[in-house]
Amino acid sequence: MKNLTRYYPTVLLLLLLGCGSGSNFNLISVEEEWQLGNQIAADVERQVHLNNDPAVNDYVRTMGQRIVAQTPMANMPWTFQVIDDPEINAFSIPGGHVYVNTGLIANADTASELAGVMAHEISHVVARHGTEQLSRQYGVSVLAGLVLGKDPGQLQQVAAAIVANGAMARFSREDEREADELGIKFMYDANYDPRGMAEMFRVLLAHQKSDPGRVEAFFATHPTTEERVRDAQKRAEQLGTRAAAITDEPQYQSIRGRVS
Ligand code: ZN
């Protein structure tokens, strides 16, 4: 990290003010958050098995970028990675790092179902839920130390917790709702069929009954209820489906074949 000293005044001021308890409080600037995200991502990526099939990664990256292009953070350096893991899960960490398990691709029946989950994860980043969560979970001084790069041990612990939980952490219901609301709008604007989001939730709920082990991490971090599915369905109906919207596409089925 360069120019560390220029961050001190902000951090100190916030330490003096103490941490707020509102849902939108955030201790660090977007710039600091994206720097911190790079460090956490490097640690996370040492602890997972990244998929190295270029066709699969290209597809996921292209879909991610199409969705990101509809967000206020379109010009930030996002990364999209595929993890070799049969669990049906995806997660994101602060600073625009989005991870999709091969198990999610294998079980999302259509491109728009995958787009629904990716748009949700992208929205956690756009709304900065990750650093809010870290602030709550680890406290102001730990987060400040992480931002300043003072505590590599703590950083590794944060990364290990993310890998162990298959996500940043348990987001609040409010955060989940916000990520669903933003996400469906972004996927719609990116020309994906917005009904894909509710359909993916239904796939997940079906797996919870038939094969709960595969969706454990997803449900631990994304409480999914019938109400959530109904809300997503209602939003999709309100948006409508464009005539040219992508529900599914052959390229998606082709990469699905590569990870199944
Ligand atoms: Zn979520």
Side-chain angles (χ1 to χ4, degrees):
M1 279 166 77
K2 55 183 182 187
N3 296 332
L4 284 181
T5 45
R6 74 193 165 91
Y7 294 125
Y8 275 102
T10 328
V11 171
L12 281 177
L13 177 64
L14 283 156
L15 287 172
L16 290 170
L17 290 171
C19 65
S21 55
S23 68
N24 289 318
F25 111 88
N26 213 307
L27 166 74
I28 61 177
S29 71
V30 171
E31 192 187 9
E32 290 165 325
E33 177 173 310
W34 282 61
Q35 285 188 15
L36 175 63
N38 286 342
Q39 298 175 59
I40 299 174
D43 263 340
V44 165
E45 286 166 27
R46 272 193 287 273
Q47 297 176 43
V48 295
H49 190 273
L50 291 179
N51 175 284
N52 55 19
D53 183 334
V56 175
N57 280 274
D58 283 353
Y59 184 87
V60 168
R61 196 178 311 118
T62 303
M63 177 181 274
Q65 292 295 355
R66 281 184 60 174
I67 298 169
V68 157
Q70 311 304 323
T71 76
M73 293 189 174
N75 48 18
M76 305 288 275
W78 292 72
T79 70
F80 298 90
Q81 309 265 16
V82 179
I83 298 175
D84 275 323
D85 187 331
E87 264 209 59
I88 306 174
N89 197 23
F91 64 94
S92 57
I93 59 181
H97 302 281
V98 179
Y99 300 88
V100 175
N101 282 1
T102 47
L104 175 66
I105 299 170
N107 287 282
D109 298 320
T110 63
S112 56
E113 289 180 14
L114 177 64
V117 177
M118 287 190 72
H120 173 95
E121 292 306 327
I122 287 167
S123 299
H124 277 311
V125 175
V126 170
R128 307 185 66 199
H129 293 154
T131 39
E132 280 176 22
Q133 190 60 38
L134 285 177
S135 310
R136 282 191 212 110
Q137 201 172 347
Y138 293 92
V140 172
S141 56
V142 169
L143 189 60
L146 286 179
V147 169
L148 295 169
K150 275 180 168 172
D151 197 343
Q154 184 75 47
L155 195 71
Q156 270 173 2
Q157 270 184 41
V158 170
I162 291 169
V163 173
N165 297 328
M168 269 304 292
R170 195 185 286 263
F171 289 118
S172 69
R173 263 169 201 279
E174 217 177 294
D175 285 354
E176 288 305 316
R177 195 174 309 121
E178 189 178 12
D180 283 353
E181 274 172 20
L182 288 171
I184 205 163
K185 182 75 176 60
F186 295 147
M187 78 184 283
Y188 174 82
D189 289 343
N191 207 31
Y192 289 104
D193 185 344
R195 292 175 297 185
M197 189 180 274
E199 277 159 21
M200 188 68 223
F201 292 152
R202 282 201 201 93
V203 169
L204 286 155
L205 285 170
H207 273 280
Q208 195 180 28
K209 291 196 182 103
S210 64
D211 192 7
R214 278 223 170 173
V215 289
E216 214 180 316
F218 184 90
F219 281 102
T221 50
H222 296 86
T224 302
T225 57
E226 289 294 341
E227 189 194 356
R228 189 178 180 199
V229 181
R230 273 199 307 275
D231 286 348
Q233 198 172 340
K234 220 179 291 165
R235 286 185 204 112
E237 280 162 17
Q238 282 161 2
L239 287 166
T241 301
R242 293 181 170 127
I246 297 167
T247 304
D248 197 16
E249 55 188 354
Q251 301 94 306
Y252 177 63
Q253 295 305 330
S254 148
I255 64 125
R256 245 187 118 195
R258 296 174 80 97
V259 299
S260 298

